């Protein structure tokens, strides 16, 4: 099963967002509930105080026996019609007294000796908070029911205003928290980005080791990765050295055996020379290949023109001595992540082969095409048939045994190009001879900085 992939920064930000979206609404809901309960309790306490004042001001006129209120409740809204502030005194089923604000309306009553709290709908559809109680007055034949009701409009408006400010504040707090967490995540992951940049530099050949000036956890990782890189380089160098040593060790005995074979009878000498020739071809191949890296994994970025300059200069002099005009065109500013020895081996083998077979002219072009580097080499020699072009890529195959050489040049070039992920083709040239086309992929390509 493939593990889920995604940005670590995105995951941390998503986790922070979920955390903020869960915690802040819970906190907001808790604060809103607490304020609503506190405001309602304070409102009820105020209503209860006015109800007690109303109860204390209630009395009976000794002459007429009517119920009277001896004192004002101290709020002018009880005198404003349908203001939402009402009081009412009932003598049994008969309304005895009521605030002027009630006008011709009545409040519903619940006959109970205990104090009763209710939310009712009053005149004009107002939501009222009502407190009521029945009591007996001395000398009065019926229980007296005292009700006091106040509109919840102010309370509800206060709660709504608090909740609006609360959620606005929590929204601002959430934005600040997410911004702070984003900055914290970016700062916390900065060493990882630095490590990633170092790895890209090592891969691109711009550095050989990772910077270990990192937090403790990542520093240990960088040290371990540096050890792995050093180990790989030692293995590569050891493998190249071993192959070279082995090739050199075999080269001398093979040369001695070739000399000794000349003393054998003709029939045995031909067979011995054939077998020794196969051994010599293999030795020469591995001796030539031992110096090649053949991979861009740890290769540095090199300028094509700069690396090829000594090869082109030497082969130009060779071509001039042989009466051959060598034309080279290398595009400016091109750089590849390739081992310099491999680049020189590749180009040198192709040019030597072309000069050996050319009559008067050899052309070499190196340029950028799309995201790949193209190499094209043409000569005006005899060229090759399709069968010869296929056979010449086999190790040690020589089309003309009279010419010096081991027949390894093109096979080594093809192997190098293949190891770097490129392609090589052989075709008839416009000059009349052979055209060799090499394409190296864009993964190796880098633009060289201006000097």
């Amino acid at each position: 099963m493939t593990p889920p992939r995604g940005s670590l920064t995105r995951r941390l930000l998503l986790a922070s967002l979920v955390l903020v979206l869960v915690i802040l609404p819970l906190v907001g809901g808790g604060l809103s509930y607490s304020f609503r309960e506190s405001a309602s309790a304070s409102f009820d306490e105020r209503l209860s105080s006015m109800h007690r004042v109303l109860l204390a001001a209630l009395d009976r006129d000794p002459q007429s026996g009517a119920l009277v209120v001896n004192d004002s409740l101290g709020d002018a809204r009880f005198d404003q019609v349908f203001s939402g502030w009402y009081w009412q005194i009932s003598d049994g089923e008969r309304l005895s007294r009521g605030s002027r604000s009630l006008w011709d309306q009545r409040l519903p009553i619940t006959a109970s000796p205990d104090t009763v709290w209710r939310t009712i709908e009053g005149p004009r559809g107002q939501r009222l908070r009502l407190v009521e109680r029945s009591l007996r007055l001395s000398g009065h034949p019926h229980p007296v029911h005292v009700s006091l009701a106040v509109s919840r409009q102010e309370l509800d408006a206060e709660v709504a205003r608090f909740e609006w400010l609360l959620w606005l504040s929590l929204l601002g707090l959430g934005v600040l928290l997410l911004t702070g967490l984003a900055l914290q995540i970016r700062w916390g992951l900065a060493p990882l980005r630095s490590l990633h940049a170092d790895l890209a530099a090592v891969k691109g050949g711009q550095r050989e080791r990772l910077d270990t000036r990192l937090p403790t956890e990542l520093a240990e990782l960088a040290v371990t990765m540096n050890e792995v890189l050093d180990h790989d380089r030692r293995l590569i160098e050891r493998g190249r050295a071993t192959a070279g040593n082995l090739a050199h060790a075999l080269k001398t005995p093979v040369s001695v055996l070739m000399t000794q074979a000349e003393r054998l009878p003709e029939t045995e000498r031909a067979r011995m020379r054939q077998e020794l020739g196969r051994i010599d071809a293999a030795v020469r191949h591995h001796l030539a290949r031992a110096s090649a890296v053949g991979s861009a994994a740890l290769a540095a970025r090199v300028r094509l023109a700069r690396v090829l300059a000594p090869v082109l200069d030497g082969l130009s002099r060779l071509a001039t001595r042989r009466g051959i005009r060598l034309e080279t065109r290398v595009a400016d500013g091109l750089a590849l992540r390739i081992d310099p020895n491999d680049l020189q081996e590749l180009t040198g083998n192709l040019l030597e082969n072309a000069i050996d077979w050319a009559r008067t002219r050899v052309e070499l072009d190196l340029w950028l095409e799309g995201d790949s580097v193209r190499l094209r080499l043409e000569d005006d020699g005899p060229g090759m048939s399709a069968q010869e072009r296929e056979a010449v890529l086999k190790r040690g195959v020589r089309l003309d045994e009279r010419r010096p050489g081991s027949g390894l040049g093109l096979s080594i070039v093809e192997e190098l190009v293949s190891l770097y992920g490129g392609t090589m083709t052989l075709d008839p040239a416009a000059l009349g001879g052979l055209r060799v086309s090499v394409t190296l992929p864009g993964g190796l390509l880098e633009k060289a900085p201006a000097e």
Side-chain angles (χ1 to χ4, degrees):
M1 181 179 178
T2 304
R5 302 178 62 186
S7 168
L8 185 58
T9 301
R10 190 179 300 112
R11 289 186 178 187
L12 292 175
L13 284 175
L14 182 60
S16 301
L17 178 61
V18 171
L19 191 64
V20 169
L21 291 179
V22 169
I23 291 181
L24 290 187
L26 290 177
V27 172
L31 290 175
S32 177
Y33 174 79
S34 299
F35 180 81
R36 189 182 301 110
E37 291 297 312
S38 175
S40 297
S42 176
F43 184 80
D44 287 349
E45 180 63 29
R46 181 183 177 189
L47 191 58
S48 178
S49 298
M50 289 190 294
H51 189 250
R52 288 195 295 269
V53 171
L54 181 60
L55 290 175
L58 182 62
D59 200 0
R60 178 173 177 272
D61 189 337
Q63 296 180 357
S64 62
L67 296 175
V68 296
V69 176
N70 295 327
D71 197 4
S72 170
L73 296 182
D75 197 309
R77 283 174 288 188
F78 286 110
D79 296 326
Q80 298 173 8
V81 177
F82 302 137
S83 64
W85 289 64
Y86 313 110
W87 60 263
Q88 173 181 288
I89 301 174
S90 301
D91 183 4
E93 296 296 329
R94 182 172 57 89
L95 177 62
S96 296
R97 294 291 304 274
S99 62
R100 185 177 300 175
S101 56
L102 268 175
W103 195 243
D104 59 350
Q105 301 293 316
R106 294 189 60 180
L107 298 175
I109 62 175
T110 302
S112 173
D114 300 321
T115 302
V116 176
W117 293 88
R118 290 188 296 157
T119 299
I120 63 172
E121 182 176 343
R124 305 286 178 90
Q126 301 163 320
R127 292 183 68 237
L128 305 177
R129 183 63 169 165
L130 181 141
V131 57
E132 56 185 336
R133 180 182 176 185
S134 296
L135 73 160
R136 286 187 174 274
L137 294 178
S138 177
H140 196 75
H142 304 290
V144 177
H145 191 83
V146 180
S147 302
L148 180 69
V150 174
S151 172
R152 290 181 54 93
Q153 183 177 358
E154 292 184 4
L155 173 63
D156 294 338
E158 185 178 357
V159 171
R161 184 168 55 254
F162 173 81
E163 289 182 344
W164 184 83
L165 291 174
L166 172 65
W167 291 113
L168 184 63
S169 301
L170 289 178
L171 178 61
L173 177 61
V175 172
L176 290 177
L177 283 176
L178 289 176
T179 303
L181 288 171
L183 294 175
Q184 180 182 4
I185 291 170
R186 180 172 179 80
W187 176 75
L189 295 181
L192 277 178
R193 291 193 296 273
S194 176
L195 183 61
H196 180 269
D198 284 352
L199 283 172
V202 170
K203 182 180 178 182
Q206 300 165 2
R207 301 187 59 173
E208 292 187 356
R209 296 172 62 83
L210 302 176
D211 189 359
T212 57
R213 293 174 298 177
L214 297 167
T216 304
E217 299 82 359
L218 294 180
E220 295 176 357
L221 176 62
V223 169
T224 303
M225 295 180 72
N226 282 335
E227 293 175 354
V228 172
L229 290 172
D230 293 339
H231 178 69
D232 287 346
R233 288 191 181 94
R234 288 194 297 268
L235 287 179
I236 293 173
E237 293 297 329
R238 186 181 303 170
R240 294 170 63 189
T242 301
N245 293 337
L246 179 60
H248 280 291
L250 291 175
K251 183 179 180 181
T252 301
V254 168
S255 299
V256 172
L257 289 174
M258 291 285 284
T259 304
Q260 294 294 328
E262 297 296 328
R263 303 176 183 178
L264 298 175
E266 182 62 30
T267 56
E268 296 181 8
R269 182 169 55 215
R271 183 177 179 182
M272 181 65 72
R273 289 180 64 184
Q274 180 182 3
E275 295 301 324
L276 289 175
R278 292 173 58 189
I279 296 175
D280 185 58
V283 170
R284 289 176 182 274
H285 172 79
H286 290 292
L287 182 61
R289 187 66 188 86
S291 61
V293 175
S295 173
L298 298 177
R301 184 182 63 180
V302 297
R303 286 178 175 272
L304 272 65
R306 182 181 299 170
V307 172
L308 294 178
V311 175
L312 298 180
D313 183 61
L315 291 176
S316 293
R317 289 197 296 268
L318 174 63
T320 300
R321 287 196 300 269
R322 295 185 182 181
I324 297 172
R325 186 176 66 179
L326 175 60
E327 298 179 7
T328 60
R329 292 177 288 271
V330 181
D332 295 332
L334 281 184
L336 279 175
R337 289 193 294 109
I338 187 172
D339 185 85
N341 292 330
D342 287 354
L343 182 59
Q344 292 175 350
E345 181 83 15
L346 185 154
T347 309
N349 272 307
L350 290 178
L351 279 174
E352 286 179 5
N353 185 76
I355 292 172
D356 286 343
W357 289 93
R359 294 188 179 97
T360 62
R361 187 177 177 186
V362 174
E363 294 184 0
L364 173 68
D365 292 280
L366 267 167
W367 75 98
L368 177 66
E369 186 174 288
D371 60 349
S372 301
V373 168
R374 297 290 304 276
L375 181 151
R376 182 176 62 210
L377 181 66
E378 296 187 0
D379 63 67
D380 61 351
M384 299 180 187
S385 65
Q387 292 78 12
E388 289 173 335
R389 291 196 297 270
E390 182 179 354
V392 78
L393 295 179
K394 297 179 180 178
R395 184 188 305 171
V397 172
R398 296 166 59 192
L399 299 181
D400 190 347
E401 295 291 339
R402 294 171 298 178
R403 291 176 180 265
S406 60
L408 298 172
L410 290 178
S411 66
I412 290 176
V413 170
E414 185 189 37
E415 183 177 354
L416 277 173
V417 171
S418 177
L419 287 172
Y420 278 97
T423 58
M424 185 179 80
T425 58
L426 305 180
D427 303 289
L431 298 178
L434 180 68
R435 180 176 66 194
V436 181
S437 300
V438 174
T439 302
L440 294 175
L444 311 177
L445 178 65
E446 301 216 20
K447 273 288 185 181
E451 291 183 340

